[in-house]
Amino acid sequence: QGSDLIHLEREKSKIQVAELSAFLFTQKALDRKQEILEILKSEKVFDKSNNYFDGRRDRFVTALARAKRLRQLEVKHKWSTEDLIVATDLISEPGPYGLHASMFLTTLRTQTTPEQQKLFLEPAENYKYIGCYAQTELGHGSNVRGLETTATWNPEDKTFILHSPHLTASKWWIGSLGRTANYAVVMAQLVINGRPYGPHPFIAQVRDLKTHEPLEGIHVGDIGPKFGYNTMDNGFLLFNQYKIPHVNMLAKFSRVDPETNKYVKPQSAALVYGTMTWVRATIVLQAGGVLAKGVTIATRYASVRRQFQDRDATPADGPGENQVLNYTMVQFRLLPLLAATFALHFTGKSMMDMYLDNQKKMQEITSESSRRAPGPEEVQGGSDQLADLHATSCGLKALASTTAGEGLEVCRRAMGGHGYSSFSGVGSYYADYLPTLTWEGDNFMLTQQVARYLLKSARAVLKGKAPNNDTTKIFTTFLERQDMGAAYDILGSDSDLVAAFAWRASFLTFEALKRRDVEKNSWNSLLVDFWRLSTAHSQYLVVKNFYDALQSESLQYELDATTIGVLHKLFRLHALNTLEKEASEFYSSAAVTVRQIQLARTNAVMKLLEEVRPHALRLVDAWHFSDWQLDSSMGRKDGKVYEDMFNRASEMNPLNGLTVDPYPDHDVLVTRDESSKYKSKL
Amino acid sequence: QGSDLIHLEREKSKIQVAELSAFLFTQKALDRKQEILEILKSEKVFDKSNNYFDGRRDRFVTALARAKRLRQLEVKHKWSTEDLIVATDLISEPGPYGLHASMFLTTLRTQTTPEQQKLFLEPAENYKYIGCYAQTELGHGSNVRGLETTATWNPEDKTFILHSPHLTASKWWIGSLGRTANYAVVMAQLVINGRPYGPHPFIAQVRDLKTHEPLEGIHVGDIGPKFGYNTMDNGFLLFNQYKIPHVNMLAKFSRVDPETNKYVKPQSAALVYGTMTWVRATIVLQAGGVLAKGVTIATRYASVRRQFQDRDATPADGPGENQVLNYTMVQFRLLPLLAATFALHFTGKSMMDMYLDNQKKMQEITSESSRRAPGPEEVQGGSDQLADLHATSCGLKALASTTAGEGLEVCRRAMGGHGYSSFSGVGSYYADYLPTLTWEGDNFMLTQQVARYLLKSARAVLKGKAPNNDTTKIFTTFLERQDMGAAYDILGSDSDLVAAFAWRASFLTFEALKRRDVEKNSWNSLLVDFWRLSTAHSQYLVVKNFYDALQSESLQYELDATTIGVLHKLFRLHALNTLEKEASEFYSSAAVTVRQIQLARTNAVMKLLEEVRPHALRLVDAWHFSDWQLDSSMGRKDGKVYEDMFNRASEMNPLNGLTVDPYPDHDVLVTRDESSKYKSKL
Ligand SMILES: Cc1cc2nc3c(=O)[nH]c(=O)nc-3n(C[C@H](O)[C@H](O)[C@H](O)COP(=O)(O)OP(=O)(O)OC[C@H]3O[C@@H](n4cnc5c(N)ncnc54)[C@H](O)[C@@H]3O)c2cc1C
Ligand SMILES: Cc1cc2nc3c(=O)[nH]c(=O)nc-3n(C[C@H](O)[C@H](O)[C@H](O)COP(=O)(O)OP(=O)(O)OC[C@H]3O[C@@H](n4cnc5c(N)ncnc54)[C@H](O)[C@@H]3O)c2cc1C
């Protein structure tokens, strides 16, 4: 029945799924993914059937087994970094080597001298040293400068002494540190001769390479269970006057001269800066795919789930119940998110292109050895492509991860009661994804950086000293026309729709500028305005990127007219739905009229939902997730939702191995316990 | 340090916490809560220290032990139903007797004949029969009429045969059924002589009273892990031609005459209907308290957490970092939710009063034996207080539970990284609360019922045949003044603020009416409008209830001027913040001008945040949660957040009993396992 329904549903649309997938991801990448999938599926350790049942201990131990095997496969098949990312995404759970493979190796690659590369990077790349990135402390996260761990230079024996002066100095949240790592990159306050020089990176061994027990002077452990991410051992770390040699300060950018005992300032912070931007760009790149998992699952389920006859149904409609995807209230929740997956996908690609393009240019600048101070906040705005990149990556990271995270929960809830079952899969995607809204810059904090940049750009434009980039262009247009008003034809013209987003962001920028520069309001009193501004600007970027992607030549070349037509509808659905949600900013700025917003709400959006609806299933199919990856009863490609739920519940659920004594006056609780029968044996 | 900060913070306000608590809950209830708390704390089985660490099996078994002990205490101390609810709330986890104590007993009390009371209710009240309420099936939840389980009358031996014709007919989600219950109230399609009569309640034994093994013809078990609620054994149940005697059909309202084999129609559905309304009213009543847990935890943490110096800080501010509660971006997220807890509290009380008032009147109507058909949808609208109660309970249930559920997640996120730790407590409150948005009427579905009622009322008003109630009054006012416009002084007058909410709800009602009755749009095409309408009307009710509560005499009498002043600010914060978020509906309806909304946004709300901020901590203290109940490191009343987190992580976390071999080329995973040392022994 489910399979019939989903088959009929697929028949409703002529979208060419394979072509669309290839357009989105390239055929080469899809083929590679398939190869890797086959390898993983053939390995017993990656079997997912116990994931939803295991407790934390077992999940962690299994995740360690998987991490080991994954590393073996990487070596065996000579996987590239890209391949490893694909494999990790297919496995879909964080693992104990997570921070080793990302931040630990990256930091060692980018912040070490050649001598240090030999000493630390080589054994790290061979997994003799297994590491983590220990920045955050119990007392400090966003405010990195406030870190309390000290690294005091000891001129006598040319060592640093790592120390945690208070409990709040304990490193905390450090991925892979809890049980797995034997090494850590540690951010600590450099102190020379009693004077502090701010946080710098050091490398420290934390566990014995043989016994794996903590070394003397080190108190290390796992920080305990979390809302999600429980296959990862986030850890804490306290140092008690712990000595490390001079060579353990990562010295590519700044260092202590062991002869003079003097601090040597960094020549350029460009590359450090680059890593942070790269991480954020990656989050933007992945956000569409994260959300698409939830949308795929919910859309497939809504095609199979039937509930009630339509109230206005005629006898001709037959006696069957309505697919819940036919209810406009369900469409209104799911289809704009479907549109958002595409919007985020194209935005992510463009963000990554922008990053790579900038990296190239940076190489040149770096070789000119610019004299910037470290840290993103000091970068001079306005004339600087780097500042633009930085602000874009901050704003889009915040918007994209919030959209994906909150969207997953909307998908889960749209499935009604069954969405609450672990077997839907969406609950754990959501729980595991949520940290992305907080790390690499808390999403609310990041909006301050975006606002700072936009204000600087606006000041530059007003002074006539602005560089020529998209931001200053939209500001200039706004200033030229602000007295005339905008009069955009948002319902008739796609480019006008983009322009309306640009207008609103510009309007909010100059409003905020007035409050700060003219009315001299405190920074703190404007944080909510800044957050609105950053969101508005980032929404503009997403709408613009989606629009630009639809103008690309390859689109015309690779896709047929039907598919292109539907993509255009998705664009309009995304843009108009966003506009409608933020309506009051659009009309306050006079970007559009009240009448236009009413029309967008009651006519345009509802009509687009109706037009997109028949294509929904094929559109999610184009995201190309395998059942193995999704591991979801509701998201099964063949629509066999109920069979799968029932099978998992009645055949695989260890709780059913337990017979209890239910009577309150009996002390006995369990009368028969065969729950361990259900456990997988590794 | 944390304790100093929180002490200083409490000094900032002169709100009289004890008086405010007593005003909210009555001193008697507070004292009773304290007594019960002491009893629970003295019992080892209720010790919470392993809750965040245990896996599903252990959590369930512990929950069963707790349920048993709770029942023993109930008997021993002769607890009332109210006392039991208080105890359950203090324990703060769903338990395996949950559905027995609520829906099973309630159904047996309200839907049985005296004979059946003796047969079923008595042993159920003595916990010889432990039961559940089995309505939902794998294939049907919202659409109760679509249930597939059949109960076929067999005239030969005067029995019913319960049967599940398809897999989708399997009962699903049934709380307490998975492992615990031996009896079930089963909703099944009554079939007599081949003719279906719709769903009716039956009672069926499902497990042996001695062995507790499933009876022949019964396939029963736990449905597996969920996003939350894992201390509860939600179950499935399939019948294979399972016979039950005639007396097992709950026969207070309708029955089968065993002599004539004829169906006897219900005389009145009033009381059945009453139970559903009561359950929804209870959800409304509890929503404020649920949200208040999260707000308490986040507000306390934000008073202790310090991060960054203020950007505009002067040397006079000293070198310390800023409490994050000082950041307007944090205030903007937390303080409107704090205001919402009070708004929901007063709304819940008024909803319950309305219900009780109606119950009294119902007794009379029932004795007049009205001739209504069963089910809430058939109740005639307009002239009927019952219909008003029904619609109010639907709309408020949806709004209140959505506000509480989503608000909890906002609180969790406002705590940054540490909010993600299980030790914050908010994650599990959120996960356990989410089903409330889905059960007792999915929150989106309920909005259709509200809209239906409002449309009927509007039609009655237009025809001049409306009864005199608040809804018809606001509609009448709107119709009289709609051409003049509203011109409400929302910033200057509290009653105008309430009136603006009434105006917007009325406007949306007549808009929707036009679309349905004049433009003849399909019901389905209007679902999104209906949802907006229901939300608008329910927001009006909340604002109005808050306003009314502040006019009450007892307020003047029981509270001092400072506290009353702050409560008025909370009212305005709640109302203006809601208005600002829904701005576009307010100006489209001409309830307010664009200029007023801009002022509300940039001035009024920000100013209220500033004014409420010093009182935030005392306001949450007034909610009167004990540390034992909250079980949260971040929510500790004494501010010792970091000590508590560290202690739980390093001393109580079983994962730290595990030493692993971290190297990818070693097969061994665990080299030392002392994790079981950390387990509590029951
Ligand atoms: C699962 C997980 C894994 C992690 N892994 C690692 C890791 O491997 N290594 C590592 O070093 N770290 C790691 N982290 C830590 C992470 O980077 C921090 O949690 C993050 O930087 C946020 O900092 P915080 O938690 O201290 O939040 P805080 O800075 O304390 O923020 C608390 C609240 O205050 C607000 N706030 C703070 N300052 C301001 C301000 N100036 N203006 C306005 N609002 C403000 C924030 O918006 C937030 O709402 C991890 C965290 C998680 C949850
Ligand atoms: C933790 C938990 C405990 C529970 N305990 C019990 C219990 O003890 N006993 C029991 O009997 N049940 C129980 N339930 C079941 C619960 O009552 C149902 O899940 C609930 O009624 C919703 O029904 P559904 O899941 O079938 O959703 P569906 O009706 O399938 O809804 C799916 C989606 O379709 C939408 N939709 C459906 N119909 C329409 C329509 N006509 N118009 C617009 N949109 C529509 C919904 O809004 C939703 O988004 C429990 C559920 C949970 C999660």
Side-chain angles (χ1 to χ4, degrees), chain A residues 451-556:
Chain A
R452 191 176 352 250
Y453 168 73
L454 293 176
L455 293 189
K456 275 189 188 163
S457 293
R459 288 186 198 109
V461 168
L462 287 178
K463 285 194 193 131
K465 286 189 184 166
N468 189 14
N469 62 30
D470 184 66
T471 307
T472 56
K473 245 183 271 171
I474 66 170
F475 288 173
T476 310
T477 309
F478 173 78
L479 290 174
E480 282 165 11
R481 292 184 52 178
Q482 64 174 327
D483 295 329
M484 276 173 272
Y488 292 121
D489 179 16
I490 53 161
L491 298 172
S493 151
D494 289 356
S495 59
D496 270 26
L497 197 44
V498 178
F501 275 84
W503 181 277
R504 157 196 177 227
S506 308
F507 170 83
L508 291 176
T509 303
F510 287 100
E511 284 285 297
L513 190 67
K514 192 175 72 194
R515 298 228 173 88
R516 180 71 177 157
D517 289 3
V518 181
E519 299 169 10
K520 304 281 180 205
N521 288 298
S522 73
W523 186 262
N524 186 19
S525 73
L526 297 173
L527 294 182
V528 177
D529 290 323
F530 292 161
W531 164 69
R532 288 203 176 97
L533 169 57
S534 172
T535 306
H537 188 255
S538 305
Q539 285 173 341
Y540 157 66
L541 292 175
V542 172
V543 167
K544 181 176 185 310
N545 280 314
F546 199 167
Y547 177 79
D548 288 347
L550 296 187
Q551 314 307 314
S552 83
E553 259 182 56
S554 58
L555 181 90
Q556 306 299 329

Side-chain angles (χ1 to χ4, degrees), chain A residues 305 327 333 414 417, chain B residues 133 135-136 141-142 173 175 234 442 445 448:
Chain A
R305 181 70 170 178
Y327 293 115
R333 288 179 279 162
Chain B
Y133 183 80
Q135 177 171 302
T136 304
S142 307
W173 281 115
N234 294 90
D442 169 271
M445 300 290 302
Q448 295 186 43

Side-chain angles (χ1 to χ4, degrees), chain A residues 133 135-136 141-142 173 175 234 442 445 448, chain B residues 305 327 333 414 417:
Chain A
Y133 184 80
Q135 177 172 301
T136 304
S142 306
W173 281 116
N234 293 90
D442 169 90
M445 299 290 301
Q448 294 185 44
Chain B
R305 181 70 171 178
Y327 293 115
R333 287 179 280 160

Side-chain angles (χ1 to χ4, degrees), chain B residues 497-542:
Chain B
L497 197 44
V498 179
F501 275 84
W503 181 277
R504 159 196 175 227
S506 308
F507 170 83
L508 292 177
T509 304
F510 288 101
E511 284 286 296
L513 190 67
K514 192 175 73 194
R515 295 226 176 89
R516 180 70 176 158
D517 288 3
V518 182
E519 298 170 11
K520 305 280 179 203
N521 288 298
S522 73
W523 186 262
N524 186 18
S525 73
L526 296 173
L527 295 181
V528 177
D529 290 322
F530 291 161
W531 164 69
R532 288 202 176 98
L533 169 57
S534 172
T535 306
H537 188 255
S538 306
Q539 285 173 342
Y540 157 66
L541 292 176
V542 172

Side-chain angles (χ1 to χ4, degrees), chain A residues 179 311 452 524 587 658, chain B residues 179 311 328 452 587 658:
Chain A
R179 303 278 85 203
R311 246 178 92 95
R452 191 176 352 250
N524 186 19
Y587 75 74
L658 219 60
Chain B
R179 302 279 85 203
R311 246 179 92 96
T328 56
R452 189 174 357 245
Y587 73 75
L658 218 63

Side-chain angles (χ1 to χ4, degrees), chain B residues 355-366:
Chain B
Y355 168 78
L356 295 172
D357 180 52
N358 185 260
Q359 277 301 95
K360 257 195 242 150
K361 297 203 185 137
M362 287 302 299
Q363 304 296 353
E364 303 153 29
I365 302 179
T366 317

Side-chain angles (χ1 to χ4, degrees), chain A residues 261-543:
Chain A
N261 302 315
K262 287 255 157 63
Y263 178 64
V264 184
K265 272 206 273 191
Q267 290 300 299
S268 157
L271 276 173
V272 187
Y273 186 34
T275 303
M276 293 167 44
T277 311
W278 178 79
V279 174
R280 279 194 290 266
T282 306
I283 291 174
V284 179
L285 188 65
Q286 294 175 340
V290 168
L291 179 56
K293 288 182 190 172
V295 174
T296 299
I297 291 168
T299 302
R300 286 184 181 159
Y301 178 65
S303 309
V304 170
R305 181 70 170 178
R306 301 198 296 175
Q307 202 77 191
F308 294 101
Q309 271 207 290
D310 190 348
R311 246 178 92 95
D312 299 301
T314 59
D317 293 322
E321 288 178 282
N322 216 347
Q323 290 163 286
V324 299
L325 189 56
N326 287 340
Y327 293 115
T328 55
M329 193 69 242
V330 172
Q331 294 166 13
F332 185 74
R333 288 179 279 162
L334 288 184
L335 301 185
L337 290 175
L338 173 60
T341 64
F342 287 89
L344 290 175
H345 176 79
F346 295 122
T347 302
K349 293 219 311 192
S350 135
M351 172 83 246
M352 202 40 108
D353 287 347
M354 184 175 171
Y355 168 79
L356 294 173
D357 180 52
N358 184 263
Q359 278 300 93
K360 258 196 239 149
K361 297 203 184 133
M362 288 300 299
Q363 304 296 354
E364 301 154 28
I365 302 178
T366 317
S367 52
E368 288 166 25
S369 114
S370 75
R371 260 159 299 129
R372 273 195 212 91
E377 304 194 18
E378 279 61 32
V379 174
Q380 296 304 310
S383 66
D384 206 331
Q385 198 203 356
L386 198 60
D388 194 55
L389 177 70
H390 170 69
T392 304
S393 76
C394 288
L396 287 178
K397 183 270 178 183
L399 179 66
S401 60
T402 301
T403 306
E406 295 182 349
L408 284 176
E409 173 59 11
V410 172
C411 293
R412 196 193 61 68
R413 233 176 270 175
M415 292 187 277
H418 292 342
Y420 194 66
S421 166
S422 296
F423 306 150
S424 88
V426 182
S428 48
Y429 283 130
Y430 175 69
D432 285 347
Y433 188 70
L434 277 178
T436 314
L437 282 66
T438 303
W439 66 34
E440 303 305 335
D442 169 90
N443 282 358
F444 287 95
M445 299 290 301
L446 287 174
T447 63
Q448 294 185 44
Q449 312 239 5
V450 180
R452 191 176 352 250
Y453 168 73
L454 293 176
L455 293 189
K456 275 189 188 163
S457 293
R459 288 186 198 109
V461 168
L462 287 178
K463 285 194 193 131
K465 286 189 184 166
N468 189 14
N469 62 30
D470 184 66
T471 307
T472 56
K473 245 183 271 171
I474 66 170
F475 288 173
T476 310
T477 309
F478 173 78
L479 290 174
E480 282 165 11
R481 292 184 52 178
Q482 64 174 327
D483 295 329
M484 276 173 272
Y488 292 121
D489 179 16
I490 53 161
L491 298 172
S493 151
D494 289 356
S495 59
D496 270 26
L497 197 44
V498 178
F501 275 84
W503 181 277
R504 157 196 177 227
S506 308
F507 170 83
L508 291 176
T509 303
F510 287 100
E511 284 285 297
L513 190 67
K514 192 175 72 194
R515 298 228 173 88
R516 180 71 177 157
D517 289 3
V518 181
E519 299 169 10
K520 304 281 180 205
N521 288 298
S522 73
W523 186 262
N524 186 19
S525 73
L526 297 173
L527 294 182
V528 177
D529 290 323
F530 292 161
W531 164 69
R532 288 203 176 97
L533 169 57
S534 172
T535 306
H537 188 255
S538 305
Q539 285 173 341
Y540 157 66
L541 292 175
V542 172
V543 167

